[in-house]
Amino acid sequence: MARQMKVKLDKYWEGDGINYFLFLAVFLDPRYKYEYVEFFLNRVYGLNQAKDMLKKLKEIIHKLFDYYSMMYPLPDGSSSGSFNSSIASHDHGVGGENAIEEEDGFEDEFKMRVKKKQGEVKRNEFERYMEDDVEDNIPGFDILRWWKLKSMKYYALAHMARDLLAIPVSTVSSESAFSTSGRVLDQFRSSLSPSTVESLIWAQNWLKT
């Protein structure tokens, strides 16, 4: 029984079976952040293995942050860009072609400065979250509400937390670990692809009607 339980444990917490999104959820918890993940991995897996795991986790965090920074640019940049474009379009009818060329060059220079500033703000946003103190672990702490209130301070991270922390964590009942009869359905027969699930839902709907 102990060997069977060890096999099930290793399936999810060793090698390629580890779900790094669980660590990412802890990183996005302002009560724990990266330091807790680092402490946990060093304690459980040892310094050598934890070093490789932390390196992989950092890569995932940075890739996700870059993606969300691109998907959700700072609102200041979009409003400034639209405001600048509206001014240029208004002046085009007054100043002629020379004015248009000058304003196009001015607008391009302005956009470059805005993008550079946005990049600095985004980097500072990530660094601020890493450096800020952790929150107290008080009873009834609402992590989604915390991110909602901090959405302007950590703009891209807040969108990332909203999506990732909304994913439900699936669990297996403890009886399964102590069961000696085994599975009635194996893991292949009990797993369904998204297209199969969709087909079954449609078929059930047709049968009901």
Side-chain angles (χ1 to χ4, degrees), residues 135-194:
E135 297 288 334
D136 294 330
N137 191 7
I138 59 176
F141 179 80
D142 190 340
I143 185 171
L144 293 178
R145 184 173 183 273
W146 186 91
W147 276 109
K148 183 178 180 181
L149 295 175
K150 299 289 184 178
S151 59
M152 294 310 297
K153 184 178 181 181
Y154 311 115
Y155 192 72
L157 281 173
H159 283 87
M160 192 165 88
R162 179 199 63 186
D163 292 343
L164 295 179
L165 296 178
I167 301 174
V169 178
S170 60
T171 59
V172 179
S173 59
S174 58
E175 290 83 358
S176 175
F178 295 96
S179 174
T180 57
S181 61
R183 292 177 179 268
V184 177
L185 296 176
D186 59 29
Q187 60 180 344
F188 301 103
R189 291 182 62 192
S190 61
S191 61
L192 299 175
S193 65

Side-chain angles (χ1 to χ4, degrees), residues 1 28 101 113 133 139 181 198 201-202:
M1 179 61 66
L28 291 171
E101 293 178 359
R113 292 188 63 183
D133 295 335
S181 61
E198 185 179 6
I201 293 174
W202 279 107

Side-chain angles (χ1 to χ4, degrees), residues 11-199:
K11 179 181 178 181
Y12 298 103
W13 293 105
E14 288 290 344
D16 297 332
I18 298 176
N19 188 349
Y20 278 80
F21 278 95
L22 294 173
F23 301 141
L24 190 57
V26 179
F27 165 75
L28 291 171
D29 191 329
R31 297 168 295 179
Y32 301 103
K33 298 190 178 183
Y34 182 82
E35 286 76 11
Y36 184 84
V37 180
E38 185 178 23
F39 170 79
F40 170 81
L41 293 180
N42 285 329
R43 188 76 175 270
V44 174
Y45 293 97
L47 296 178
N48 292 331
Q49 186 176 352
K51 183 179 180 180
D52 295 333
M53 295 174 70
L54 289 169
K55 181 181 178 181
K56 184 176 180 179
L57 178 62
K58 285 182 178 179
E59 292 175 355
I60 294 173
I61 292 174
H62 284 290
K63 285 182 179 179
L64 273 174
F65 179 72
D66 290 341
Y67 172 79
Y68 274 86
S69 297
M70 179 183 65
M71 290 296 295
Y72 300 98
L74 292 172
D76 293 346
S78 59
S79 60
S80 299
S82 59
F83 176 72
N84 190 61
S85 300
S86 64
I87 293 177
S89 62
H90 174 73
D91 290 342
H92 286 168
V94 180
E97 293 183 357
N98 292 333
I100 292 174
E101 293 178 359
E102 291 178 2
E103 287 164 1
D104 285 343
F106 179 78
E107 183 176 353
D108 291 340
E109 182 181 354
F110 172 75
K111 286 182 178 179
M112 289 179 63
R113 292 188 63 183
V114 168
K115 288 181 179 180
K116 182 179 179 181
K117 185 177 180 180
Q118 284 182 344
E120 293 173 353
V121 171
K122 288 170 186 174
R123 285 195 297 271
N124 291 336
E125 171 190 331
F126 185 83
E127 293 170 0
R128 278 201 310 270
Y129 179 73
M130 293 285 288
E131 295 171 359
D132 286 350
D133 295 335
V134 297
E135 297 288 334
D136 294 330
N137 191 7
I138 59 176
F141 179 80
D142 190 340
I143 185 171
L144 293 178
R145 184 173 183 273
W146 186 91
W147 276 109
K148 183 178 180 181
L149 295 175
K150 299 289 184 178
S151 59
M152 294 310 297
K153 184 178 181 181
Y154 311 115
Y155 192 72
L157 281 173
H159 283 87
M160 192 165 88
R162 179 199 63 186
D163 292 343
L164 295 179
L165 296 178
I167 301 174
V169 178
S170 60
T171 59
V172 179
S173 59
S174 58
E175 290 83 358
S176 175
F178 295 96
S179 174
T180 57
S181 61
R183 292 177 179 268
V184 177
L185 296 176
D186 59 29
Q187 60 180 344
F188 301 103
R189 291 182 62 192
S190 61
S191 61
L192 299 175
S193 65
S195 59
T196 304
V197 173
E198 185 179 6
S199 300

